[in-house]
Amino acid sequence: MSRRPARRTARRRRVSRSKRQDEQIVLVFGAVAVMGLIAAVVQWLLTHWWVLVLAAVVAVVIGGFWYQRAKQRAEWARVRAAALRLRIAELDALDHRAFEFAVRDLMRRDGCDAEQLGGAGDNACDVRAVDPAGRVWAIQCKHRRDGDRGSAVGVGVLQQVNGTARQIHGADVAVVLTNGRFSSKAIPWGNQHRIHLVDRRVLSEWAAGSRPLWDLLDRIPPPRRPSALS
């Protein structure tokens, strides 16, 4: 009885070795075939060198075409951004995320390097921008569906911005911006803590006009790069 399991085990080992040998042979033949194919392709290309030249010319033409298209799209985007004008009613109709992107685009219109950060973990900064004078802006956006008829932006929002704008985002200019209004307590609190408040009136003038936001606000810090304005 003990010989049968031993025979079965020996048979399994022989079968396993045979399978491994077959796999190794297949791999060797496959590698040889691939190397032979590569050698044949290389030999053919060396014989027909003009194919490589033609392929290089086609690649250059296609690459140049796509580069010009990308350059044109970037230029068109710049022109559209420079001409961006938004009415306050258009801003009212946006949701809060689209409102943040609109503020980003308005900052870009004015020559800023701006990005939208709003979302989970944004540390009370929906839009961060660097203006042409090198100043860093941290903008917290508060969209009100009902405009100035909606709830007022209170001191609590300003306190959050005051705790993160300079410390985390490195801001020179901390801003709370809304298409609505600020509470009576928020306005003096903002002045005291150097938080710039952009309410519905200032936002409307900025979005619909040609003046940058820093021309509409008081007590803006001096430029970091004076030469950038010359």
Side-chain angles (χ1 to χ4, degrees), residues 143-154:
H143 184 265
R144 295 293 184 259
R145 185 177 58 183
D146 297 326
D148 55 3
R149 296 188 303 275
S151 60
V153 179

Side-chain angles (χ1 to χ4, degrees), residues 100-152:
E100 294 168 6
F101 280 104
V103 172
R104 179 204 65 180
D105 292 343
L106 288 168
M107 293 298 286
R108 289 180 176 178
R109 178 199 70 183
D110 295 340
C112 299
D113 180 9
E115 58 181 332
Q116 186 270 347
L117 302 177
D122 60 15
N123 290 308
C125 177
D126 294 317
V127 177
R128 186 181 187 275
V130 180
D131 68 22
R135 292 170 298 215
V136 177
W137 293 63
I139 305 175
Q140 176 75 337
C141 301
K142 290 298 176 182
H143 184 265
R144 295 293 184 259
R145 185 177 58 183
D146 297 326
D148 55 3
R149 296 188 303 275
S151 60

Side-chain angles (χ1 to χ4, degrees), residues 49-62:
W49 55 269
W50 55 270
V51 175
L52 290 175
V53 175
L54 180 61
V57 171
V58 171
V60 169
V61 171
I62 293 176

